[in-house]
Amino acid sequence: MDSRQCDCEHLLENVVGNEIAMNPLDLGEFRRQGHMVVDFLAKYYENIEKNPVLSRVEPGYLSERLPSSAPQDEEPMEAILDDVHRHIVPGLTHWQSPNFFAYFQTNTSTAAILGEMLCAGFNVAGFNWVSSPAATELESLVMDWLGKMLDLPRPFLFSGNGGGVIEGNTTEAIICTLTAARDRVLRRLGHDSIVKLVVYGSDQTNCSFQKAARVAGIDPRNFRALKTTRSTLFGLSPDSLGKAIRSDIDAGLIPLYLCATVGTTSFAAVDPLAPLCKVASEFGMWVHVDAAYAGASCICPEYRKFINGVEFADSFSFNAHKWLLTPLDCCCLWVKDPNALVKSLSTDPEYLKNEATESKQVVDYADWQLSLSRRFRSLKLWLVLRSYGVQNLRSHIRNHCRLAKLFEELVEEDRRFEVVFPRNFGLVCFRIRPSVVSGTSNGHAAENGHGEAWKLNEVNRLNAQLLHAINASGRVFMSHTVVGGAYVLRFAVGATLVRERHVIMAWKVVQEHANSLSCMPGREQHSA
């Protein structure tokens, strides 16, 4: 028997007496069961296309299948995995399916899954440098690597006196930066001024911004979601921002924070960073750039233009867990002034004092985030960057954008449909054309005096009916949005396993269900 294994068992004997009642880290079982789980997952991926993409279970299904209390005695891994197969998998919506085109994907990879295994295996709580120097230093290194891949300005990097941190998600990144911005102002004006602070985004900004503002204590009446229009491609207008800020100042309020977006959730629209930053700078506001979805694409030189102007912002974040082959949770945040985060988020309890922290020569990431403990997230990102390299990661993103372009072309070939927003990345937004409804209404709208409002409602109803039928088929899964009163289908390419045949099949599913709608003319009547 290996001497190290003997030592482990000896320690357990000291704890529980002369007999080992349980060894929760039996190395032989770890190897055996580890192989079982890897094999289980490999088989899951091999057969993932056989599952309906969207789960078909009813609410409360699991309580009818599993016991109502925990087992009194141990159960074998074989039985547990069998239950996973029979009861858990049917309740999954299969986000890693190549036929998943809803929302924005959270993709993964072999390297990242193994990185998660290492993270769980080491199980360090790297809240400060001394608690695990490697966890801190690898994160700092990887964030500089990634910042250079994005061609971020040097002031965002540790080498330029800025720095990066891996947060759990965009909401956390915004809460941290908004808190830093808030406290920077309140230290100058006094805490009573918090009721006057105003934050700005657009009506396309992700709802995480609104949640973050609530958590940071911003009065809900001081949350500005400025209207966007098709004329600006649903990007935030600098003129609208300037007018809103001046109106708030005239009302005795204090402009605090702007959240600009690169790749909005509904359409993947892009806010014009440079002119927005120019407006914000006139009023001393903090500017955060949220590129949660589209930021990963900016490692490709041809997409880097979408974050031009980031050099004028205070912070920038994107989710590697959306498009960079790295699973949840991995939101990458860079700030020009790390001390602003530290001043707002640090605590100094006696039980965490140590020489390294006192030396001011190390990073203590607990002071850059909401919680104290933190996972060794950088391991999976490090494995991804090393295992695939920059060129392969660029190819991965370019291929998804190519497949989205293919779907876009297929939509445009069928004149019953229209692409409703110019495609920037891997998202195609489309719908059944209003002319299809007007062409089959037989004067109903005019006779009833409803006109355009009736037509819009009918078009929306038809598109919602189409999406429901598509998703109910189980063959693909898409989502929708509503902008300007129009119901739009979203087709997002981002799954790790997606190939051209999946995109072509998805479009055939759309056409098949469109053909089955009673008021839809046949495709041959509307082909280009």
Side-chain angles (χ1 to χ4, degrees):
M1 182 178 291
D2 187 275
S3 60
R4 289 169 294 182
Q5 186 172 354
C6 290
D7 289 342
C8 290
E9 293 184 351
H10 177 68
L11 290 173
L12 285 167
E13 286 176 353
N14 289 338
V15 173
V16 302
N18 293 327
E19 294 184 4
I20 300 176
M22 178 184 69
N23 184 349
L25 195 52
D26 180 284
L27 301 186
E29 280 299 295
F30 177 70
R31 289 189 178 94
R32 188 183 73 84
Q33 295 181 25
H35 282 295
M36 288 174 59
V37 171
V38 170
D39 288 342
F40 179 90
L41 285 174
K43 187 174 181 179
Y44 167 75
Y45 280 109
E46 286 174 354
N47 295 290
I48 196 168
E49 293 185 60
K50 297 178 182 178
N51 296 309
V53 187
L54 184 63
S55 176
R56 293 173 170 172
V57 301
E58 297 295 329
Y61 89 101
L62 202 54
S63 61
E64 298 176 358
R65 298 191 182 195
L66 298 182
S68 59
S69 57
Q72 294 299 313
D73 297 308
E74 69 273 15
E75 297 181 357
M77 180 58 69
E78 290 85 348
I80 297 170
L81 286 180
D82 184 61
D83 279 350
V84 172
H85 174 70
R86 293 189 300 119
H87 304 311
I88 302 301
V89 172
L92 296 178
T93 289
H94 299 281
W95 283 71
Q96 303 312 311
S97 169
N99 298 313
F100 185 107
F101 300 104
Y103 314 120
F104 288 128
Q105 288 86 342
T106 171
N107 57 30
T108 191
S109 61
T110 299
I113 293 171
L114 297 179
E116 283 281 22
M117 185 183 294
L118 286 172
C119 176
F122 293 140
N123 197 32
V124 301
F127 42 81
N128 59 19
W129 181 88
V130 75
S131 67
S132 265
T136 295
E137 297 198 11
L138 185 63
E139 186 160 335
S140 299
L141 176 69
V142 166
M143 290 301 291
D144 262 13
W145 278 12
L146 195 50
K148 292 173 183 177
M149 289 166 60
L150 292 163
D151 194 22
L152 287 182
R154 191 166 179 268
F156 281 111
L157 308 182
F158 283 102
S159 55
N161 296 319
V165 57
I166 301 177
E167 306 283 0
N169 50 58
T170 298
T171 304
E172 292 178 16
I174 296 177
I175 291 173
C176 290
T177 54
L178 179 52
T179 300
R182 178 200 68 190
D183 291 351
R184 186 174 67 178
V185 169
L186 295 183
R187 279 191 289 269
R188 187 175 78 249
L189 301 180
H191 191 269
D192 289 346
S193 296
I194 191 171
V195 297
K196 298 181 179 180
L197 300 180
V198 187
V199 298
Y200 303 82
S202 82
D203 57 3
Q204 299 302 307
T205 304
N206 189 271
C207 62
S208 60
F209 181 35
Q210 187 172 18
K211 179 178 286 190
R214 291 175 183 171
V215 173
I218 303 301
D219 190 321
R221 295 171 296 180
N222 294 344
F223 181 86
R224 304 285 181 263
L226 304 178
K227 183 176 177 55
T228 59
T229 64
R230 183 173 290 276
S231 65
T232 61
L233 297 178
F234 296 101
L236 178 56
S237 162
D239 290 340
S240 296
L241 176 64
K243 290 177 183 177
I245 291 172
R246 291 182 180 89
S247 176
D248 285 331
I249 290 175
D250 290 343
L253 300 175
I254 302 168
L256 173 69
Y257 184 101
L258 168 65
C259 183
T261 307
V262 175
T264 61
T265 304
S266 286
F267 282 160
V270 177
D271 290 338
L273 299 186
L276 289 173
C277 288
K278 182 178 180 181
V279 173
S281 68
E282 296 176 22
F283 306 97
M285 297 168 61
W286 184 296
V287 179
H288 176 71
V289 177
D290 169 20
Y293 161 64
S297 71
C298 297
I299 68 171
C300 301
E302 64 269 30
Y303 293 110
R304 173 57 175 76
K305 63 185 179 183
F306 289 109
I307 58 171
N308 285 349
V310 69
E311 61 269 25
F312 305 115
D314 297 276
S315 53
F316 172 86
S317 67
F318 89 96
N319 292 340
H321 61 242
K322 276 192 168 64
W323 208 3
L324 207 63
L325 296 176
T326 306
L328 287 161
D329 48 354
C330 193
C331 174
C332 301
L333 167 67
W334 290 265
V335 292
K336 285 182 176 177
D337 181 12
N339 286 331
L341 292 181
V342 173
K343 287 178 182 178
S344 291
L345 302 173
S346 66
T347 55
D348 190 29
E350 182 63 33
Y351 50 79
L352 292 183
K353 292 183 183 296
N354 63 86
E355 291 182 5
T357 296
E358 297 299 324
S359 74
K360 306 296 184 184
Q361 300 299 308
V362 299
V363 172
D364 286 345
Y365 272 126
D367 298 339
W368 294 46
Q369 64 173 27
L370 299 178
S371 61
L372 176 62
S373 298
R374 60 198 325 271
R375 300 174 65 242
F376 197 169
R377 295 188 186 103
S378 59
L379 263 177
K380 60 186 174 185
L381 188 54
W382 185 53
L383 262 69
V384 166
L385 297 182
R386 290 193 62 187
S387 296
Y388 306 120
V390 177
Q391 292 303 326
N392 281 322
L393 291 171
R394 287 173 176 166
S395 296
H396 158 73
I397 288 167
R398 286 167 176 154
N399 182 56
H400 284 176
C401 293
R402 179 187 66 83
L403 293 178
K405 183 175 186 295
L406 169 62
F407 188 85
E408 181 182 46
E409 291 169 349
L410 293 171
V411 173
E412 290 172 339
E413 289 175 1
D414 188 334
R415 293 183 61 187
R416 297 175 299 175
F417 294 87
E418 65 178 352
V419 175
V420 298
F421 187 80
R423 182 190 57 80
N424 289 323
F425 309 103
L427 175 67
V428 180
C429 297
F430 70 104
R431 67 170 178 167
I432 297 170
R433 287 180 180 273
S435 61
V436 170
V437 172
S438 61
T440 60
S441 62
N442 297 320
H444 177 86
E447 291 172 5
N448 288 277
H450 298 306
E452 291 301 316
W454 177 88
K455 184 194 296 185
L456 179 60
N457 287 337
E458 282 298 296
V459 173
N460 287 349
R461 182 189 63 79
L462 198 61
N463 280 288
Q465 186 179 347
L466 174 61
L467 181 62
H468 177 77
I470 290 169
N471 290 340
S473 74
R475 296 165 65 190
V476 297
F477 179 36
M478 303 179 195
S479 55
H480 80 283
T481 189
V482 176
V483 176
Y487 188 102
V488 177
L489 282 69
R490 298 172 69 262
F491 183 87
V493 179
T496 305
L497 298 175
V498 68
R499 301 293 182 265
E500 186 171 304
R501 65 181 176 86
H502 300 109
V503 172
I504 294 172
M505 184 274 287
W507 177 241
K508 288 180 179 177
V509 171
V510 173
Q511 289 189 310
E512 288 171 10
H513 288 285
N515 292 340
S516 69
L517 296 176
S518 59
C519 63
M520 286 286 284
R523 179 184 182 280
E524 63 279 357
Q525 295 177 246
H526 285 266
S527 296

